[in-house]
Amino acid sequence: VLYDTMCEVPVINEKFRSDPSYRFAYGTGPAAKSQKYWKPVLKVDTATGQAIKWYQEACAPEEPTFVPNPNAESEDDGVILTVVLDGMTKKTFLLGLEAKTMTEKFRAQLPHHIPHGIHGQFFPSDPKP
């Protein structure tokens, strides 16, 4: 067991895809029992089973995408991107989280909502093996 509760649509740093020693996975967590679908974005440490999260009331994030720092010095050196439906404003924003700490780096507000179900993937412009 890597984590003691559910983690949906997990992703990892793609540089570690074939490496069984990867340590961090990112996904969306379960909604609180009192909520219908407001849920956190999780960072799960697969070595310890501990998780840290970003959560905002009345917000429903979609599948996270890990974007590595081009000069990364560690596996979790990068940014997590996810689109988030804000249930209060009925609009969507793009959220950027510091992957190491899961603290908010930025948000870009859209003038409308994006329907749930969007999936994404990051591809560097100059992929290196």
Side-chain angles (χ1 to χ4, degrees):
V1 176
L2 300 177
Y3 181 57
D4 64 0
T5 190
M6 180 177 64
C7 181
E8 296 180 298
V9 292
V11 296
I12 63 170
N13 180 336
E14 287 295 313
K15 290 182 180 182
F16 292 80
R17 176 180 285 279
S18 299
D19 184 347
S21 68
Y22 79 90
R23 184 168 176 185
F24 302 107
Y26 307 87
T28 57
K33 292 181 192 262
S34 63
Q35 301 294 329
K36 291 186 178 185
Y37 58 89
W38 313 131
K39 53 191 173 184
V41 179
L42 299 172
K43 174 186 181 180
V44 177
D45 183 331
T46 63
T48 67
Q50 299 296 309
I52 55 176
K53 66 183 177 181
W54 173 91
Y55 176 80
Q56 183 174 320
E57 186 71 29
C59 286
E62 286 288 327
E63 174 183 12
T65 300
F66 182 88
V67 180
N69 179 335
N71 302 310
E73 295 183 8
S74 63
E75 178 186 345
D76 61 349
D77 189 357
V79 175
I80 300 299
L81 298 177
T82 184
V83 292
V84 180
L85 173 62
D86 184 330
M88 301 300 277
T89 65
K90 309 290 191 259
K91 295 180 182 176
T92 298
F93 58 90
L94 174 66
L95 176 66
L97 300 171
E98 172 60 53
K100 284 182 181 290
T101 62
M102 296 301 284
T103 56
E104 187 171 327
K105 287 184 68 102
F106 67 84
R107 70 173 61 191
Q109 187 68 52
L110 300 176
H112 52 76
H113 78 283
I114 295 176
H116 280 288
I118 188 167
H119 294 281
Q121 184 68 39
F122 173 75
F123 296 98
S125 60
D126 182 23
K128 296 177 184 170

